[in-house]
Amino acid sequence: MQDKLNLKVKENFLTELQLEKLKKLLEQFGVEVVYSRAKDGYDLNLLWDSSEVYRKSSRYAGRNKKGTDIDWTQVDYLSSLGMTNDEISDRLGVNIRTFYRRKSDHKKEN
């Protein structure tokens, strides 16, 4: 099924460089992007096949499979400084739920 979307974008919302980046990104998913300069911005036309976009985007779906290792000596140090678990997980770049789950597993191992 072919889908089409026509947009008018004001110049102060997107620059031509940003439009080129958007075009490259959308083309990865099979979306044809054509834009032209208009009086007050850009005319943006998008054309795509819904089934192809879905098929290409599904490979990006799901969680990150790469495991996140947590340095527990660093966690102990940050905790001794008075940081909360939320602050520690932010500092380590780990989701708070992942942090609690790994913390529970770590306690079971030791």
Side-chain angles (χ1 to χ4, degrees):
M1 178 180 160
Q2 288 281 60
D3 289 314
K4 185 176 178 182
L5 179 63
N6 298 320
L7 301 167
K8 292 202 179 285
V9 180
K10 291 189 176 184
E11 190 171 15
N12 57 347
F13 287 114
L14 284 175
T15 65
E16 193 161 347
L17 179 62
Q18 290 170 323
L19 282 170
E20 279 298 319
K21 288 180 180 181
L22 178 63
K23 182 178 179 180
K24 285 183 181 182
L25 175 69
L26 291 174
E27 284 175 349
Q28 291 177 3
F29 296 99
V31 178
E32 182 183 339
V33 179
V34 178
Y35 66 90
S36 60
R37 189 91 165 115
K39 184 173 72 171
D40 58 345
Y42 298 96
D43 290 328
L44 184 63
N45 300 307
L46 307 175
L47 181 66
W48 68 93
D49 180 5
S50 297
S51 59
E52 183 180 345
V53 170
Y54 177 76
R55 187 170 74 286
K56 287 186 176 185
S57 66
S58 64
R59 69 175 174 220
Y60 296 104
R63 66 178 181 83
N64 184 0
K65 307 291 190 274
K66 183 176 82 171
T68 306
D69 294 330
I70 296 176
D71 182 4
W72 294 105
T73 56
Q74 187 176 9
V75 170
D76 291 339
Y77 173 73
L78 295 173
S79 181
S80 70
L81 295 176
M83 293 179 78
T84 65
N85 287 333
D86 281 337
E87 293 168 335
I88 293 171
S89 67
D90 283 343
R91 174 71 64 94
L92 298 175
V94 178
N95 184 293
I96 188 65
R97 292 176 63 198
T98 303
F99 179 77
Y100 281 124
R101 188 173 56 251
R102 299 273 169 81
K103 189 173 181 178
S104 173
D105 293 343
H106 179 71
K107 284 183 179 181
K108 288 177 186 175
E109 290 175 2
N110 294 333

